[in-house]
Amino acid sequence: MIVPVILSGGEGRRLWPLSSPDRPKQFLALIGDETLLQQTTRRLSDPALFAPPIIIGGAGQRFLIAEQLLEAGLTVGRIVLEPSGRNTAPALAIGALLAASAKPDALILSAHADHAIPDVEAFRETIERGVPAAEAGKLVLFGMKPTYPATAYGYIEPGAPIDSAARAVKRFVEKPDAVAAEALATAGCLWNSGLFLMRAGALIAELETHAPAVLAAASAAIEQAQADADFLRLDAEAFGMAPSISIDHAVMELTANAAVVAADFAWSDIGSWSSVWEAQNRDEAGNASRGAVVLESVTDCLIFTEGPKVAAFGVADLIIVATHERVLVLPRLADQRVRDLAERADRL
């Protein structure tokens, strides 16, 4: 069985004003009736393929995690609390060490709690296609076939075949500019989704080689951890010694054992309001709305409200998001400005 390691950290500032450090986007029902965390956990709860997941999240969000799992009738193997955010490498080191302590040859699947994958069957079939390479010691990434030349994602260039599904990683490309993104997408490169499948022991060995400080801090944080009701609370001082570094920079870009499988499912990291709009079921005018909303002669807009009544007339390509205390209005294609606007608005 595969042990899912669900990463439930992050602040979600790009989806202000609904998302906030106290309630990041994985705890919001942005697509459908369930929150992204609930959807992710349910997607990884097939007992024929997956062991009970390990969820790694912030200590300040422990009750949100537990309440949402209970509400959805979902069970997990363990909820691990990070005393501070240290990026994905330390979090995955924790997941690998815990999985290996129970079963030394365990396969682990790294998954972000705030990603949207609507076709669960296709997702699981793709994960199974990566198992042979992972069992052979490869660190398998799942690359997404670009649907447009995105500049917000890193890219993976596939190399020589390893088996019928996996190929060696020829190179990683950091988030490119528009011209480079067009060339990468045309050349058959894949988006880096942040989904990884590997043996826990293989990741531990790579961390020992390429990021020993990360592994040492994670090991100490577990050794000195405290059980707290349904949670495992990592030792703050030990975990704080871990360098804040992504798994890409700590391991994947350095290892000779990286492999990639092209995914056969739709995927979004829900990293912007425009991606939320794209993931919605829209009306015949291209609008996605939620809450008390009146629209007339409106096209291709996203209008979400958590309470205030919103009426719009004669506008197009807008993001309008309202809470009881904050309102965001901006062109849909300018949603990269949200983080900056949120910081300025919150200082008022």
Side-chain angles (χ1 to χ4, degrees):
M1 279 192 175
I2 298 168
V3 181
V5 179
I6 300 175
L7 306 181
S8 185
E11 295 186 350
R13 298 290 290 180
R14 289 177 291 177
L15 294 185
W16 184 93
L18 289 192
S19 181
S20 68
D22 293 332
R23 195 177 183 88
K25 61 177 177 172
Q26 62 266 30
F27 300 111
L28 303 177
L30 295 169
I31 302 165
D33 295 329
E34 290 194 322
T35 69
L36 294 173
L37 172 65
Q38 290 169 332
Q39 291 177 21
T40 298
T41 307
R42 192 175 302 284
R43 187 165 58 245
L44 296 167
S45 295
D46 179 0
L49 182 60
F50 299 115
I54 298 169
I55 295 182
I56 301 177
Q61 298 161 1
R62 62 193 184 281
F63 296 123
L64 271 175
I65 295 171
E67 287 167 5
Q68 292 201 352
L69 295 176
L70 180 63
E71 178 185 272
L74 296 165
T75 57
V76 297
R78 182 168 282 177
I79 300 173
V80 182
L81 303 180
E82 293 179 304
S84 59
R86 307 303 295 164
N87 215 317
T88 54
L92 284 176
I94 294 291
L97 288 165
L98 290 174
S101 68
K103 185 181 179 185
D105 61 347
L107 286 176
I108 62 171
L109 175 69
S110 164
H112 290 270
D114 55 3
H115 290 185
I117 299 172
D119 191 337
V120 175
E121 183 175 350
F123 164 78
R124 292 172 178 166
E125 289 174 353
T126 299
I127 299 303
E128 288 185 291
R129 288 170 49 219
V131 168
E135 288 184 330
K138 299 298 183 182
L139 280 61
V140 180
L141 302 97
F142 295 92
M144 304 298 148
K145 299 170 184 176
T147 55
Y148 66 98
T151 59
Y153 303 138
Y155 285 73
I156 303 164
E157 182 178 354
I162 294 171
D163 57 31
S164 60
R167 296 174 67 177
V169 171
K170 187 173 183 179
R171 64 171 176 144
F172 291 89
V173 181
E174 293 288 339
K175 296 175 183 178
D177 60 24
V179 174
E182 182 74 45
L184 290 164
T186 302
C189 294
L190 304 168
W191 289 338
N192 186 348
S193 68
L195 277 165
F196 304 90
L197 178 68
M198 65 206 85
R199 286 199 183 278
L203 178 57
I204 292 168
E206 295 284 355
L207 287 165
E208 193 167 18
T209 298
H210 300 295
V214 169
L215 184 62
S219 299
I222 291 174
E223 289 173 4
Q224 301 169 44
Q226 298 292 322
D228 179 6
D230 295 328
F231 310 107
L232 180 68
R233 190 182 292 273
L234 298 174
D235 182 78
E237 183 177 354
F239 194 68
M241 296 299 292
S244 181
I245 186 171
S246 70
I247 193 65
D248 286 344
H249 290 158
V251 171
M252 300 307 297
E253 295 176 3
L254 303 175
T255 180
N257 292 311
V260 61
V261 171
D264 289 327
F265 52 84
W267 164 89
S268 173
D269 69 347
I270 310 297
S272 65
W273 280 116
S274 59
S275 66
V276 175
W277 174 81
E278 289 166 357
Q280 302 298 313
N281 292 320
R282 301 186 292 277
D283 65 22
E284 63 278 3
N287 299 307
S289 63
R290 183 175 297 179
V293 174
V294 174
L295 305 178
E296 185 176 342
S297 300
V298 173
T299 57
D300 296 330
C301 289
L302 175 80
I303 305 97
F304 277 13
T305 175
E306 284 194 330
K309 298 174 182 178
V310 175
F313 173 82
V315 297
D317 297 305
L318 288 182
I319 300 292
I320 303 172
V321 183
T323 69
H324 291 286
E325 297 180 345
R326 297 171 175 85
V327 178
L328 171 71
V329 181
L330 83 168
R332 184 165 50 80
L333 297 181
D335 62 355
Q336 70 275 8
R337 294 293 313 281
V338 170
R339 183 189 293 270
D340 174 61
L341 292 170
E343 291 174 355
R344 290 161 60 189
D346 285 342
R347 288 198 297 266
L348 295 175

